[in-house]
Amino acid sequence: MKFINWSKQNLFANWKDSLLTITILYLFYVSMPPLLNWVFLDATFFGDSKKDCTGDGACWVFVNVWIKRFTYGMYPNDQIWRINLAFVIFFISIGSYFFVSSKIKKCIFIFLTVIFPFLAIFLFHGGSLGLEEVETRVWGGLFLTLFISVFSIIFCFPIGVLLAMGRRSNLPVIKYFSIGFIELWRGVPLITVLFMAAVMFPVFLPSGTNLDKLIRVIIAITLFESAYIAEVVRGGLQAIPRGQYDAANSIGMGYWKSHLLIILPQALKIVIPGVANTFIALFKDTPLILVVGLMELLGMVNMAKTNPAWLGLATEGYVFAAFVYFIFCFSMSRYSLGLENKLKTTN
Amino acid sequence: MKLLRKNIEKLNLFLENYPKIGIYFPQFLIILLLGIIISYFSMNASTNMAARGIETGFGFLANKASFDIQFSLIDFDSNDSYARAYLVGLLNTLLVSGIGIFFATVIGFFVGITRLSTNILASKVAEAYIEIFRNIPLLLQIFFWYFAVLRLLPSSDNSLILFNFVFANIKGIYIPRFIWENLNYFLYGFLFSILIIYLFVSISKKKQEKTGLQVPTFTTSLIIFFTINFLVIYFGQVGLTLSYPVLETNRGLHNYMGGVSVIPELIALAFSLSLYTSTFIAECVRAGILGIDKGQKEAAASIGLSKAQILKLIVIPQALRIIIPPVTNQYLNLTKNSSLAAAIAYPDIVLVFAGTALMQTGKAIEIVSITMLTYLTLSVSISIFMNWYNKKNSIAER
């Protein structure tokens, strides 16, 4: 009875609504069964080669066999534990962040932002202390996606904050330099910045030096995203009431002191959702590194589908990659939305 | 630590006594630093270029390009110059952006309004659409439509045929070509009718402001438009015939001739750009409509405006003021995102110029900077327009 009332109100309020509802239900009825059959019922999940796929449905064997490559790229099999270890440390420290007292929270925060990056790079790259060296050109898969997005955001955050402060500065040289820098990177597509990293950076470096491609890409992405972070942070700085600046000045604080102790702590808290959104955009942009020859998840799928033993399975590969990206982006966007709502009510 | 603090205090005192130093010194430092960085890089660049035997300069633009471009809006062959190749790439970028902007706007407004529907099912479907297409990387969507859908179309000799005049196969989609006779008469007539309507609308607006009398502008404009165009078409003998694509077999190769062919790269790119950007536009539209105070509608209803009048005179003008700036930003994003064309070999400016031309000439600095400058010009001009628009339309508060 309740359901009938509810549907009368929300689905069949008038003849237009009813028509719309019936059309949508019909479309579902037509499209869902074949789709479900393809994904689940007729699909083959386990096996070793393309020959195991007999049904008319999807051949998930492809994903199953290649999953290690999709996750870790061409990283040597016997060294994969290093990546896993780094990520386990990362997730344990992030997870415990929500359950401990504020004093330990500070320690964890410092560990994550200052110590962990070096530890992770050491674990991934190796080369000393008994760890075998793994060159960056075999890095790939989802691991590389996460590596590039996390490291770029760590590097571009301080630059972005400085640029945002510079843009609001009273000193004309600093102000116009910041504006020029921000608008330059915001005005061009990432792909041209990556091209720049690939072909232009080597020209500018002293002859003989050979900067690793991955480092060049991270520099390029950092320059590019710092402009976006700067705009987000500027929004936060603008939202701080004038009185806060005046109050800080009136008790004798200078520019840096007032910003570090009064303005930035408040402004950065407001911009957390904006930064999260920038991070999602950055995460979604990482597949672009394909154009300079680095293979993250999408790149690996692209490579696997051209393997002679696995031809014709592009759809499965892309659907799988889309699913992975969707899970990451969707959960992050929901989290940032939750933060936004929380901030709205507390402010 | 103590010593450092003492010194900082001393420095602060010093700066207070000479306030100008606090203003000029940091700026001077930045200029000096930039100067050092730039001269260091350019020094390296000049030695590197000299070592590789590459001349710098933009003279290469006039040289023969000697490569072919698979798809171009203007005539191009391998005898043309690099400058013309740049133009071909730019036009292709603008073409795919234009198509993308058109469809993204249409889909975006439709989905955004559906998202606010009172029908829960429709609103949920719209939400699912937005979440799915927004949270999957654009490059992946382009690859999906290109490799997993369009590449699986049948070969030319057994194409898919829709409505007997659209042919789809692995080489692209073929549609009939319009062949006009006396097209120029039609264009003149069209422009003339627009001019008349413009004059009519502005006169009746003035009249309404003066006397309060409303003239039915919309219906009259339609009548003017159709009469003038019909008369021109009838007396100017403007004719329209269709040339259908026909399957021709030449030495065992099947191909459709006649008609307009649209390459699959363009379709995949335009399609995914529209779907991806439409989700963002839908959110802007939703925010714009939700941003209007409920009191506005109620106030309008209380002075006796009809539902259509409320929508036309109260809701849409205010909603557009909120919607247009972020949507323009999305248009800009779409144009920048069209550079992903390079990944599926659609000959846009990045592929033709920053790809092929760069490979051939090796002039990395010139070509990459021209490409970036092109995009920069586009976005700066759009943001100037946006600032002008915001200033013009911002609410005059008393």
Side-chain angles (χ1 to χ4, degrees):
Chain A
M1 206 56 214
K2 222 177 182 180
F3 174 74
I4 292 176
N5 267 338
W6 177 86
S7 55
K8 237 183 201 165
Q9 249 174 19
N10 294 312
L11 299 176
F12 301 99
N14 50 39
W15 68 269
K16 275 184 204 160
D17 258 8
S18 313
L19 192 68
L20 193 64
T21 308
I22 290 167
T23 321
I24 293 175
L25 286 178
Y26 176 72
L27 285 179
F28 269 119
Y29 173 74
V30 172
S31 62
M32 276 298 140
L35 194 66
L36 288 179
N37 278 341
W38 186 81
V39 176
F40 297 110
L41 299 177
D42 293 340
T44 322
F45 288 89
F46 302 104
D48 304 306
S49 72
K50 199 182 164 185
K51 287 189 194 92
D52 292 322
C53 295
T54 45
D56 298 327
C59 182
W60 297 122
V61 177
F62 172 59
V63 175
N64 216 341
V65 169
W66 283 84
I67 188 86
K68 217 170 213 168
R69 296 278 84 87
F70 290 166
T71 325
Y72 304 105
M74 307 309 280
Y75 212 82
N77 275 336
D78 53 338
Q79 302 294 324
I80 282 176
W81 62 269
R82 286 154 54 173
I83 299 178
N84 290 337
L85 179 66
F87 277 95
V88 165
I89 297 176
F90 182 68
F91 284 116
I92 285 182
S93 34
I94 283 202
S96 59
Y97 187 82
F98 296 100
F99 299 108
V100 295
S101 65
S102 58
K103 206 169 183 187
I104 308 179
K105 259 185 187 173
K106 235 176 219 167
C107 296
I108 293 180
F109 185 75
I110 291 173
F111 169 75
L112 271 179
T113 48
V114 182
I115 303 170
F116 181 74
F118 294 102
L119 182 71
I121 291 177
F122 169 70
L123 272 175
F124 296 152
H125 189 257
S128 59
L129 288 180
L131 278 183
E132 206 179 299
E133 184 178 339
V134 182
E135 285 180 62
T136 55
R137 87 192 143 75
V138 299
W139 297 16
L142 187 61
F143 151 60
L144 191 62
T145 310
L146 291 170
F147 181 84
I148 288 185
S149 33
V150 169
F151 275 82
S152 307
I153 203 88
I154 289 178
F155 293 135
C156 72
F157 194 73
I159 303 177
V161 172
L162 283 179
L163 282 173
M165 283 164 66
R167 195 168 181 166
R168 285 170 58 78
S169 164
N170 296 324
L171 312 176
V173 170
I174 294 178
K175 184 176 172 185
Y176 288 109
F177 169 74
S178 307
I179 292 180
F181 190 89
I182 293 172
E183 294 306 326
L184 169 68
W185 299 118
R186 272 163 45 94
V188 298
L190 179 59
I191 208 166
T192 57
V193 183
L194 290 173
F195 262 107
M196 192 188 80
V199 298
M200 230 162 111
F201 279 7
V203 179
F204 284 129
L205 292 173
S207 51
T209 46
N210 192 11
L211 199 57
D212 193 280
K213 198 192 262 168
L214 183 63
I215 297 177
R216 275 185 276 155
V217 163
I218 288 186
I219 292 176
I221 296 182
T222 304
L223 289 174
F224 182 78
E225 290 294 332
S226 63
Y228 286 85
I229 292 278
E231 285 301 273
V232 170
V233 173
R234 186 166 73 109
L237 288 176
Q238 274 170 349
I240 304 296
R242 174 95 220 135
Q244 296 285 331
Y245 290 89
D246 294 342
N249 282 338
S250 72
I251 55 170
M253 285 181 163
Y255 181 80
W256 289 104
K257 218 171 185 183
S258 65
H259 269 86
L260 282 178
L261 296 177
I262 310 287
I263 308 299
L264 281 178
Q266 299 182 67
L268 293 186
K269 201 181 146 198
I270 308 176
V271 300
I272 291 174
V275 173
N277 287 338
T278 315
F279 182 74
I280 298 170
L282 165 65
F283 188 83
K284 277 193 294 183
D285 276 344
T286 43
L288 281 190
I289 58 174
L290 190 74
V291 297
V292 294
L294 288 174
M295 306 280 220
E296 50 68 78
L297 175 56
L298 184 57
M300 290 310 290
V301 172
N302 245 0
M303 198 185 80
K305 81 171 203 285
T306 52
N307 187 306
W310 296 95
L311 286 178
L313 295 171
T315 317
E316 281 86 346
Y318 290 136
V319 169
F320 169 72
F323 180 71
V324 173
Y325 281 111
F326 179 80
I327 295 284
F328 272 93
C329 298
F330 183 70
S331 48
M332 285 191 288
S333 73
R334 277 297 133 122
Y335 178 67
S336 99
L337 202 70
L339 272 180
E340 228 167 294
N341 290 335
K342 208 169 144 195
L343 282 171
K344 243 183 223 161
T345 48
T346 49
N347 278 357
Chain B
M1 205 62 201
K2 215 172 184 182
L3 196 77
L4 188 75
R5 193 165 284 171
K6 223 176 189 175
N7 276 324
I8 287 179
E9 264 168 31
K10 254 189 196 164
L11 187 71
N12 278 338
L13 218 74
F14 175 71
L15 287 178
E16 256 168 48
N17 289 334
Y18 301 94
K20 285 223 162 133
I21 291 179
I23 294 173
Y24 288 119
F25 184 66
Q27 307 197 49
F28 174 72
L29 207 69
I30 292 271
I31 293 176
L32 192 74
L33 218 69
L34 273 182
I36 291 173
I37 292 174
I38 289 173
S39 49
Y40 175 69
F41 281 149
S42 44
M43 225 165 64
N44 284 333
S46 62
T47 37
N48 282 337
M49 298 299 249
R52 286 191 216 167
I54 301 173
E55 283 171 41
T56 49
F58 293 93
F60 76 94
L61 282 174
N63 293 355
K64 217 174 89 170
S66 56
F67 59 81
D68 271 317
I69 299 175
Q70 170 210 12
F71 174 79
S72 72
L73 293 174
I74 50 175
D75 289 332
F76 183 86
D77 63 51
S78 46
N79 286 323
D80 284 316
S81 66
Y82 283 111
R84 197 166 172 84
Y86 166 81
L87 192 64
V88 169
L90 181 63
L91 285 176
N92 281 343
T93 293
L94 292 179
L95 172 74
V96 75
S97 313
I99 298 174
I101 284 173
F102 175 75
F103 285 107
T105 313
V106 173
I107 303 172
F109 270 75
F110 176 72
V111 174
I113 292 167
T114 314
R115 178 83 180 76
L116 290 170
S117 162
T118 46
N119 185 327
I120 284 199
L121 192 63
S123 138
K124 286 286 164 197
V125 168
E127 189 183 352
Y129 169 87
I130 292 174
E131 292 297 348
I132 289 174
F133 285 102
R134 193 165 68 158
N135 283 317
I136 295 174
L138 179 58
L139 188 64
L140 178 52
Q141 296 190 32
I142 295 175
F143 278 162
F144 181 83
W145 296 116
Y146 184 62
F147 289 114
V149 177
L150 293 174
R151 288 265 110 174
L152 296 185
L153 285 174
S155 57
S156 303
D157 46 337
N158 44 22
S159 321
L160 285 177
I161 300 174
L162 304 168
F163 314 117
N164 256 335
F165 60 83
V166 178
F167 304 87
N169 60 45
I170 196 163
K171 284 182 187 157
I173 289 180
Y174 298 81
I175 51 173
R177 183 194 291 275
F178 295 118
I179 296 176
W180 293 91
E181 278 166 56
N182 296 333
L183 178 64
N184 46 343
Y185 290 132
F186 175 67
L187 288 180
Y188 292 139
F190 183 77
L191 284 179
F192 181 66
S193 62
I194 297 280
L195 188 73
I196 296 281
I197 288 172
Y198 177 75
L199 285 176
F200 170 71
V201 168
S202 49
I203 287 173
S204 52
K205 218 179 201 172
K206 259 183 201 152
K207 195 179 166 194
Q208 193 193 342
E209 276 170 11
K210 235 182 197 169
T211 61
L213 282 178
Q214 272 192 10
V215 189
T217 33
F218 187 69
T219 1
T220 330
S221 306
L222 276 186
I223 293 171
I224 296 178
F225 183 79
F226 280 110
T227 359
I228 293 182
N229 282 306
F230 177 76
L231 288 177
V232 168
I233 287 172
Y234 188 77
F235 290 108
Q237 294 183 328
V238 180
L240 169 68
T241 43
L242 291 174
S243 130
Y244 290 95
V246 185
L247 185 65
E248 282 180 9
T249 311
N250 192 5
R251 288 186 215 138
L253 288 173
H254 304 281
N255 228 334
Y256 276 95
M257 303 303 266
V260 181
S261 73
V262 187
I263 55 170
E265 288 84 7
L266 176 63
I267 300 169
L269 195 63
F271 199 67
S272 17
L273 280 173
S274 326
L275 290 187
Y276 184 73
T277 315
S278 72
T279 64
F280 294 93
I281 292 180
E283 289 292 80
C284 302
V285 169
R286 175 167 167 251
I289 295 176
L290 284 180
I292 298 169
D293 199 51
K294 208 171 142 198
Q296 293 282 330
K297 283 181 223 166
E298 291 169 356
S302 75
I303 57 167
L305 294 184
S306 73
K307 245 186 176 169
Q309 278 176 321
I310 295 177
L311 206 64
K312 193 183 139 204
L313 299 172
I314 309 293
V315 176
I316 291 179
Q318 296 192 70
L320 279 185
R321 185 183 285 144
I322 310 176
I323 293 171
I324 286 180
V327 165
T328 325
N329 213 5
Q330 290 307 326
Y331 290 165
L332 195 58
N333 280 344
L334 188 147
T335 312
K336 282 191 283 176
N337 281 335
S338 73
S339 59
L340 296 188
I344 54 167
Y346 171 76
D348 80 325
I349 183 168
V350 172
L351 184 81
V352 169
F353 205 58
T356 318
L358 196 149
M359 285 298 162
Q360 287 194 358
T361 57
K363 296 193 186 295
I365 298 176
E366 292 87 343
I367 284 184
V368 171
S369 21
I370 291 178
T371 314
M372 287 175 103
L373 261 178
T374 310
Y375 282 105
L376 204 60
T377 317
L378 270 176
S379 38
V380 168
S381 44
I382 286 189
S383 59
I384 288 174
F385 165 77
M386 250 5 278
N387 283 340
W388 170 81
Y389 178 86
N390 278 338
K391 235 175 224 161
K392 193 179 149 233
N393 281 300
S394 59
I395 304 172
E397 280 183 26
R398 270 170 285 185

